[in-house]
Amino acid sequence: GDAACEFIAQHASTQTPFFLYVPFTSPHGPYTLSKASDYALFAGSGLTENGKNSAALTYAMDRAVGNILACLDTYGIATNPVVFFTNDNGGPLNKDGAHRNTPLRGGKSDTYEGGIRMPFIARWVGTIPAGAEDTGSVVSAIDISPTICRFAGVPVEDELDGMDRSAVFLGKASPRGEPVFWQYGHPHAILKGG
């Protein structure tokens, strides 16, 4: 998060478009990397040792994302960039108490909805309606590139995987039409619709 804010500071006044990709590895094992001050927030939570560390790492990631958004505000460019926040899979199914995919079945490393369905949040101040929610449309991480191209006014290349899902983020109904496929080892899943 700190490095991302430094990048924003360097590029905010250049009037040159920039792309910033921030792939947090947190919360992820090893869970012993959390800061003591963050860990202390979950001391009385009833979570296991790994659960407290995972919760502390999640808290730290949330703080870093907030700092990045605040940096965009600080440098007066919050209305220009489109910000996407998503994940690669659901939480692992273990007994540490920190990961819950309910009411979805399954979790990380499987192809049930608890393993493949995750949050996808977008922010574009003044363009994407604040607080709008769409729980029926299917959007995948592979849709980010064609959607960004559409938002930037760049032709969407046929070779790109994924689909332009800009209409979904602009609050318009946009049935997917094409199925999405997952494979993790032997298990497979296909989702069509939405």
Side-chain angles (χ1 to χ4, degrees):
D2 293 341
C5 285
E6 288 176 18
F7 181 91
I8 291 167
Q10 292 169 2
H11 291 83
S13 62
T14 64
Q15 301 297 317
T16 304
F18 65 83
F19 175 80
L20 175 60
Y21 174 61
V22 186
F24 290 103
T25 56
S26 183
H28 203 282
Y31 294 119
T32 57
L33 301 176
S34 64
K35 291 181 179 179
S37 57
D38 293 338
Y39 180 89
L41 296 171
F42 301 94
S45 65
L47 296 171
T48 65
E49 187 77 14
N50 272 350
K52 291 174 193 172
N53 276 300
S54 182
L57 290 168
T58 302
Y59 180 83
M61 180 188 64
D62 185 59
R63 180 179 55 235
V65 170
N67 289 343
I68 292 169
L69 296 177
C71 284
L72 295 173
D73 293 335
T74 297
Y75 291 100
I77 59 170
T79 59
N80 194 18
V82 181
V83 178
F84 292 108
F85 179 88
T86 191
N87 192 11
D88 59 349
N89 50 248
L93 296 178
N94 51 36
K95 298 181 179 165
D96 65 19
H99 305 101
R100 292 184 185 92
N101 300 312
T102 37
L104 304 176
R105 177 183 178 190
K108 181 178 178 173
S109 302
D110 70 37
T111 51
Y112 292 116
E113 285 192 287
I116 59 177
R117 190 177 290 263
M118 75 277 317
F120 199 125
I121 303 167
R123 176 183 125 156
W124 191 1
V125 177
T127 302
I128 295 176
E133 184 176 340
D134 181 341
T135 58
S137 296
V138 175
V139 178
S140 175
I142 62 172
D143 299 329
I144 293 174
S145 290
T147 301
I148 287 174
C149 287
R150 178 72 61 191
F151 283 152
V154 174
V156 178
E157 299 291 331
D158 290 337
E159 295 82 24
L160 286 177
D161 287 334
M163 300 175 61
D164 165 26
R165 303 299 282 150
S166 56
V168 173
F169 293 111
L170 299 176
K172 301 172 186 164
S174 179
R176 182 166 193 93
E178 294 181 12
V180 182
F181 301 89
W182 290 267
Q183 178 183 356
Y184 190 85
H186 180 66
H188 299 69
I190 300 172
L191 181 61
K192 183 168 173 44

